[in-house]
Amino acid sequence: DAGVTQSPTHLIKTRGQQVTLRCSPKSGHDTVSWYQQALGQGPQFIFQYYEEEERQRGNFPDRFSGHQFPNYSSELNVNALLLGDSALYLCASSPFISRQGFLGKNIQYFGAGTRLSVL
Amino acid sequence: DAKTTQPPSMDCAEGRAANLPCNHSTISGNEYVYWYRQIHSQGPQYIIHGLKNNETNEMASLIITEDRKSSTLILPHATLRDTAVYYCIVRVAQNSGGSNYKLTFGKGTLLTVNP
């Protein structure tokens, strides 16, 4: 059973460019969340997708957008890249809460991340 | 989500128990305590969670104080592979719409297991 997979593993872009990161959720999961992790910091929530719609959003500008496909995979797009966008981008998947059984078993499973460097 | 406080770093000898503390004095009655860890260059990994009772699984034990204002993650026999940043996260399990709540990470505790 494959876990959460992300591609590419590393990416180098220049300021002003656009980037697309991809995520395939764990088998049986239909909810995908994206996080940004700057060096030395904990991951910060960007947004979450379920049923191909953005359900929650963190404090990130509109330059960050996403998409979820019918097969539950997801993309994170960042436009007009800034130097400060350099970070590890993490994808996490989980079943929608109502499918998880008892309350509290609200576990997100993370991929290994995509390391984005903006020069 | 309630704010958590963790020491920035801890050391532990290999084979000994590692006890990682977390303060969450503003926790609400419907908030759970979750622990994740992140080994260098990997994504965070779920360890354990609990509401008010102590919990144990194959990875660790979670001890939550009776007033729920603090908790301790216990790795009973730490190995070198347990060296990682450990995150304590407090949050409600779900919102009214049933969607999966975001995880709010702090800086965590860097646990270094020494040979």
Side-chain angles (χ1 to χ4, degrees):
Chain A
D1 177 25
V4 180
T5 58
Q6 293 186 242
S7 63
T9 54
H10 295 86
L11 203 53
I12 299 175
K13 292 286 188 177
T14 57
R15 281 181 299 172
Q17 285 189 311
Q18 178 265 344
V19 67
T20 297
L21 310 181
R22 295 175 177 81
C23 172
S24 293
K26 183 177 170 65
S27 178
H29 289 183
D30 52 14
T31 301
V32 173
S33 302
W34 286 92
Y35 293 79
Q36 180 196 65
Q37 186 173 24
L39 200 60
Q41 304 295 316
Q44 301 299 305
F45 176 76
I46 303 175
F47 43 53
Q48 181 184 95
Y49 277 83
Y50 170 69
E51 289 188 327
E52 303 179 46
E53 291 186 9
E54 183 182 294
R55 299 289 179 158
Q56 298 178 58
R57 189 178 183 93
N59 189 25
F60 279 81
D62 292 345
R63 298 187 298 109
F64 290 78
S65 63
H67 188 77
Q68 186 178 35
F69 299 93
N71 67 352
Y72 310 125
S73 67
S74 176
E75 288 182 349
L76 164 65
N77 300 294
V78 186
N79 294 323
L81 284 167
L82 304 174
L83 296 179
D85 295 332
S86 295
L88 179 68
Y89 288 85
L90 295 159
C91 170
S93 75
S94 57
F96 192 63
I97 190 66
S98 62
R99 306 205 213 306
Q100 290 195 57
F102 68 88
L103 190 67
K105 192 172 177 66
N106 193 356
I107 300 167
Q108 295 186 18
Y109 295 84
F110 286 80
T114 294
R115 173 73 61 186
L116 173 64
S117 298
V118 181
L119 306 179
Chain B
D1 294 341
K3 182 178 179 179
T4 61
T5 304
Q6 299 178 253
S9 63
M10 295 182 64
D11 287 327
C12 178
E14 189 178 19
R16 303 296 295 269
N19 297 279
L20 292 93
C22 179
N23 286 318
H24 31 79
S25 58
T26 59
I27 191 170
S28 300
N30 62 345
E31 289 181 313
Y32 286 69
V33 180
Y34 291 79
W35 283 83
Y36 280 75
R37 74 179 182 184
Q38 187 172 22
I39 296 171
H40 184 61
S41 298
Q42 297 182 23
Q45 176 191 23
Y46 166 80
I47 302 173
I48 198 168
H49 77 287
L51 181 62
K52 55 183 178 181
N53 298 319
N54 297 339
E55 303 287 344
T56 297
N57 63 19
E58 65 280 2
M59 292 183 67
S61 294
L62 174 61
I63 308 298
I64 302 174
T65 58
E66 191 169 345
D67 62 8
R68 304 209 320 123
K69 293 184 177 182
S70 66
S71 60
T72 301
L73 178 74
I74 301 172
L75 308 179
H77 306 286
T79 71
L80 299 179
R81 289 177 296 179
D82 292 322
T83 292
V85 177
Y86 287 77
Y87 296 100
C88 170
I89 298 166
V90 173
R91 66 161 181 175
V92 297
Q94 68 180 80
N95 63 20
S96 59
S99 64
N100 193 322
Y101 260 131
K102 64 180 181 180
L103 293 168
T104 300
F105 291 83
K107 290 188 176 182
T109 296
L110 173 59
L111 174 68
T112 302
V113 181
N114 300 303

